[in-house]
Amino acid sequence: MENNRGQWGSNFGFLMAAIGSAVGLGNIWGFPYKMGKSGGFAFLLIYLILVVFVGVVVMLGELALGRKTGKGTMGAYLAFSKKYAFVGFMGVASGFLILSFYSVLGGMVMRYMIAFLLQLLGLDGFAGQGGGFFGFLLYDYGGMLFFYALFMIITVYIVMGGIEKGIEKFSAVAMPALFFILLFVIVYVAFQPGAADGYAFMFKPDFSVFTNPEIGFFGVLKAAAGQMFFSLSLGMGCMITYGSYLSKKENLQKNALIIPFADTMVALMAGMAVMPACAAFGVDYGRGPGLLFVSMQTVFANMGSFGNFIGFLFYFLVFIAAVTSSISLLEVSTTFEIDRTMAKGKEPNRKKITLIYALAIFVVGLPVCLDALGSGGAAVKAPFEILGIEAGGAGFAMWNDCWLDLYDMISEGVLMPLGALVMSVLIGWVWNTKTIKEECEESGHAFTGFKMFEVCYKFIVPVVLVIVLYAQIMDFFG
Ligand code: TRP
């Protein structure tokens, strides 16, 4: 069985792929902008606590579930009972939806990368639009489609290569490269006058956001918890899928510590590149999602002669981060279909499966690509325009603002926390945390801190997830 499904070539390769999945737009874009909107240090502190008591624990649960059953998102649940297949289905559906909008964003990142490359070569990369490039690009449907398709093709190509020869091979080169480029950008930014305010925003204790009636403690908790699940690729079985290709020899507990640690470090590093850069050039970091495109373009434009080069490097590293994540999202679908085919006793064709799923995802993502992110009057109407109502309103994005937010609400907002909640109850109360312990000990390493692990899985994880779900539903109806 194991042979035609494939396996990671080495633990290092697995780690690079898993960290690659975790490190993505969520770290480099979501983390700084959510921190910018949710009180800086207060957000950071809650985020770190959640990573330790929820992230690490759920990561271990997912990896162990995958390795124990040798199956991806859906197959792992089926291995226990048909009753729980719906949880796996929610996971596959989330991955499907997330990849559709993720690739649109990935395409936009590529477009900025190429724009800065053209600038570097002395050409006008911004098509005569200068700082208004973002507003222009959203309505440039041909360009949007082209880069969306290009990003998807790159993703498909890597996944077609398989676990070891595709995903692992790419990640093992791309991830170290990303790390060093990010380090370089951080150092360069540190020398910009005025950068210090950015560090102060991140690291100076300040809890004033808790008394802000629009956000408050629960607002920060919800934002941090949602961000944590997304950033660690948890809650929809991505790590079940990656774990299912891991050898029984490897130390799961250690891996489940390294991945969140590296992911958090890169999120912090991204903050240390973006926040001080914004501070140095007087760009507001509380601007929300526009941060990655509008604000950062302004930053690089003001950096002087070196700005185009740093801009290119920055978007190149965001591109790497996005691809190593999108391949993990597509792999969820591919593995799902491979397992399904094998369960019927047939030989799966990875290339064909990957291509068909990617095409379907591409079609589903078309409205996201063509609605100008809800700016109005675009080729495809945004949900609020179709419904003839007011767009979602101030503050965080609302589900009806644009197709991206609708897909995001369904997947990241509802299916993922719900799936993660059911999974934590199953592992904590139904299948028993001992199942996880036994799977970890298959490698011959004794399990450390089992009592703590059990308390987290049985109580802390479900409580946090209930809060997240409740807050999402209130947002939806509120
Ligand atoms: N973690 C990635 C990021 O931070 C995105 C991602 C990849 C993801 N796979 C996932 C999110 C699975 C949720 C579930 O950008």
Side-chain angles (χ1 to χ4, degrees), residues 87-106:
V87 196
F89 183 77
M90 291 194 306
V92 176
S94 310
F96 198 96
L97 278 183
I98 294 175
L99 183 57
S100 76
F101 68 75
Y102 207 86
S103 304
V104 174
L105 294 168

Side-chain angles (χ1 to χ4, degrees), residues 21-22 24-27 98 102 230-231 233 236 238 325 328-329 416:
S21 168
L25 297 173
N27 301 59
I98 294 175
Y102 207 86
F230 189 82
S231 186
S233 303
M236 50 78 73
C238 207
S325 297
S328 73
L329 286 161
M416 275 171 52

Side-chain angles (χ1 to χ4, degrees), residues 129-144:
Q129 305 293 324
F133 185 59
F134 187 66
F136 159 81
L137 146 167
L138 290 178
Y139 292 92
D140 177 19
Y141 308 121
M144 285 295 289

Side-chain angles (χ1 to χ4, degrees), residues 268-282:
L268 282 172
M269 287 171 72
M272 286 167 68
V274 172
M275 299 293 179
C278 288
F281 296 102

